[in-house]
Amino acid sequence: MIVLKFGGTSLADAARLRAAAAIVVAQPAPRAVVVSAAGGVTNLLLEAAYAAASPPPPSTQGTSSGVSPVPGGGASIAAKIRDRHLAIAAGIPDAAERSGALAELDQLHAALDDALAAVAAAGELSKRDLDRIVATGEKASSVLLAATLRASGTPAAHLFADRVIATDDRFGAARPDRTRTRVQAEALVRPLLQSGLTVVLTGFIGGAPDGSTTTLGRGGSDYSATLLGAALDAEEVQIWTDVPGVLSADPRRVDDARVVPHVSYDEAQELAHFGAKVLHPRTIRPAVARGIPVRILSTFAPEEPGTLVTRESGGEGVKAVTALPDLLLLAIDVPELEDLAAASAAVFGALHAERIEIVAASQSSSRRRMTVLVDAAAHGGCAHVRPLLGTAMDAADVEAEVGCTEPVALVAAVGQAAAAQPAALARLLDVLGRANVPVLSASQQTSNVALTAAVPAAHAERAVRALHDALIRPQPATARGRRPRRTELLAETIRVG
Ligand code: ADP
Ligand code: ASP
Ligand code: MG
């Protein structure tokens, strides 16, 4: 069986939804489909939830459209969300399917209104409430795509993944329980597939042990797709998005970024980890465990071969350049060598306690300076993190000086064979030096899949362009001449898998 995942842009309106349905139908059955919320809806849901928790002052409430401002400011945003979904439903080309979908959407919107009203009444927004509220977007998409498929003559059913993807109760960033997920997928999804239905599941969401809805983190629908693929032993997971594959750089930063036809699991993981938004950072892990090929494809050009991700790395050289923004660089100077172990335990302990993600860490050769690059965009930046570490050092009775630089970006050149070469880091530093990009720290990862450099955020874009120009080799003429057809690629996938 095949899992197909569609992102928000690919489900943004009725026409995109019909295009997605056509792509689904062209794949061999059995197939499960994972959907994101329609583009922009998750952000609107978040806005509605925050507005409900802290309504604007009375003078700014109310709108010219006459939308009731109660509860809080959330109601007018909820109305916008409803309008988006109803506009999509209006494009379902079958009256019975259309009215069936509208009835289900009514229930989802009523539940959303109730949840927002409860938040407004409580005057506070728990992470549990927030997850229940934001899940509405994916739930609506699943209803809409299943109805669109049935309207085009394909038997289909939708399923909310809070009953399938089992997670812990870390709301907002839930961790899946693969064993329970497998049991639930076998019990709920497999029978539907066996009865000949195309099953449309919500991405992004899971269910905590007590049954509450959780979410896997922003962009998490990619992760849902591979979790489900692993649970159902899929032959392939296809990530259908708005770019024709993994590109050699973010197309919004680099005009001549081009498709990378084949990357290894390791390379894809590094790319996602270091900022290639096209894949959620956790997406690859479930596929690795079962050797499932993952393909990244464009809903705007479905005949293009896209990018294939498998265990092997295809080709040599740097394949892509990425940048991870919004980081801060901590430099911890420890004058007494014997304090170093305690200082490092205090730093890592304090960051872990605050759930601040460590992106990279290193220790100088004199062993008296540690540098730690952390993702603290949502944690108050240096103003919060520096005193936090100061307190941790005091508690550990360690004398240390903590420096903090922000905003910092980590640029990475990713490619298995390239990063393994001894002079690769020197080349990267040379390119950055010629482009006048100051380097705060640099490393050749022990995994030898990525070369990285931390640079001041203001220089990130220039750094990415310079590295792309210098390190991504021109495409060989043979690869440019003829594109493999998708049927040949599927045969290749089956051999690999
Ligand atoms: P979806 O809604 O389908 O999940 P996303 O917006 O999450 O799509 O991811 C696709 C976007 O990722 C692209 O539109 C592109 O702007 C961005 N992107 C960043 N880096 C890369 C890269 N190296 N290759 C492809 N896309 C990238
Ligand atoms: N809709 C969610 C988000 O916007 C999940 C996803 O799109 O993958 O983050
Ligand atoms: Mg995405």
Side-chain angles (χ1 to χ4, degrees):
M1 57 95 49
I2 291 180
V3 177
L4 302 92
K5 176 261 168 178
F6 291 89
T9 315
S10 307
L11 301 168
D13 57 37
R16 300 305 315 149
L17 221 73
R18 286 195 296 274
I23 288 168
V24 172
V25 173
Q27 295 296 321
R31 57 211 163 199
V33 185
V34 171
V35 288
S36 293
V41 165
T42 305
N43 285 349
L44 286 173
L45 285 161
L46 287 166
E47 262 180 55
Y50 289 121
S54 50
S59 59
T60 63
Q61 284 192 354
T63 63
S64 54
S65 65
V67 173
S68 158
V70 180
S76 61
I77 307 168
K80 235 191 245 178
I81 294 165
R82 188 173 54 236
D83 290 348
R84 277 288 301 279
H85 290 151
L86 297 191
I88 299 174
I92 296 173
D94 175 280
E97 288 302 341
R98 202 162 48 244
S99 63
L102 286 170
E104 296 207 52
L105 290 174
D106 270 353
Q107 283 182 22
L108 288 175
H109 294 134
L112 173 63
D113 291 343
D114 289 350
L116 292 172
V119 168
E124 63 175 9
L125 179 65
S126 68
K127 286 185 167 186
R128 181 188 296 263
D129 291 333
L130 189 59
D131 274 1
R132 188 155 58 103
I133 289 167
V134 294
T136 310
E138 270 68 14
K139 289 183 174 178
S141 280
S142 72
V143 167
L144 287 163
L145 185 61
T148 304
L149 282 162
R150 287 191 300 268
S152 67
T154 302
H158 70 269
L159 203 53
F160 297 156
D162 38 14
R163 298 171 60 206
V164 180
I165 308 264
T167 69
D168 63 11
D169 60 1
R170 237 187 270 188
F171 295 98
R175 299 293 162 111
D177 175 332
R178 304 242 197 109
T179 312
R180 272 175 49 226
T181 299
R182 205 171 164 79
V183 171
Q184 295 185 164
E186 280 300 333
L188 291 171
V189 186
R190 186 80 74 194
L192 297 177
L193 293 171
Q194 281 169 342
S195 70
L197 293 170
T198 293
V199 186
V200 183
L201 291 112
T202 51
F204 187 43
I205 71 176
D210 71 355
S212 314
T213 303
T214 57
T215 63
L216 303 172
R218 293 304 306 268
S221 297
D222 301 329
Y223 190 25
S224 306
T226 51
L227 285 168
L228 200 72
L232 290 165
D233 293 317
E235 278 152 46
E236 179 168 300
V237 173
Q238 300 176 350
I239 307 286
W240 288 89
T241 183
D242 56 5
V243 280
V246 171
L247 302 177
S248 52
D250 184 340
R252 289 164 305 183
R253 288 175 192 265
V254 176
D255 290 341
D256 60 346
R258 56 169 178 265
V259 177
V260 185
H262 190 180
V263 294
S264 68
Y265 290 136
D266 282 346
E267 289 169 333
Q269 258 170 185
E270 298 287 278
L271 279 164
H273 182 64
F274 291 133
K277 188 188 169 219
V278 66
L279 284 178
H280 181 273
R282 296 190 199 280
T283 307
I284 295 300
R285 197 76 223 137
V288 177
R290 295 190 177 266
I292 302 169
V294 177
R295 210 181 277 283
I296 295 95
L297 297 152
S298 169
T299 51
F300 294 90
E303 66 297 339
E304 294 287 317
T307 298
L308 175 64
V309 189
T310 61
R311 214 176 287 287
E312 285 74 35
S313 169
E316 309 254 308
V318 170
K319 291 183 176 170
V321 180
T322 58
L324 192 58
D326 298 330
L327 305 178
L328 56 89
L329 183 70
L330 296 159
I332 300 111
D333 285 310
V334 187
E336 300 300 332
L337 198 52
E338 52 273 21
D339 281 345
L340 201 71
S344 135
V347 167
F348 284 88
L351 295 173
H352 177 68
E354 291 269 309
R355 297 209 191 288
I356 296 176
E357 198 196 333
I358 296 169
V359 177
S362 66
Q363 195 173 296
S364 72
S365 53
S366 73
R367 299 206 289 162
R368 291 201 176 85
R369 166 170 275 206
M370 284 181 280
T371 54
V372 187
L373 201 58
V374 299
D375 182 358
H379 298 267
C382 286
H384 175 67
V385 176
R386 207 171 156 176
L388 185 83
L389 294 192
T391 309
M393 295 299 175
D394 289 347
D397 204 14
V398 168
E399 201 191 310
E401 205 162 303
V402 180
C404 187
T405 310
E406 69 181 336
V408 168
L410 188 70
V411 293
V414 180
Q416 193 117 26
Q421 285 163 15
L425 188 59
R427 174 100 200 273
L428 177 116
L429 293 174
D430 181 50
V431 172
L432 293 177
R434 285 169 197 273
N436 289 321
V437 174
V439 174
L440 304 169
S441 77
S443 92
Q444 189 155 356
Q445 301 285 305
T446 45
S447 66
N448 280 338
V449 175
L451 303 160
T452 60
V455 305
H459 295 265
E461 202 141 320
R462 197 149 39 85
V464 167
R465 279 205 211 102
L467 290 172
H468 192 268
D469 284 352
L471 305 180
I472 308 283
R473 278 186 238 144
Q475 222 169 1
T478 46
R480 233 184 296 139
R482 178 184 160 272
R483 287 182 187 284
R485 297 188 62 80
R486 299 245 316 125
T487 43
E488 293 169 26
L489 290 165
L490 197 58
E492 181 195 341
T493 302
I494 289 161
R495 272 205 311 281
V496 174

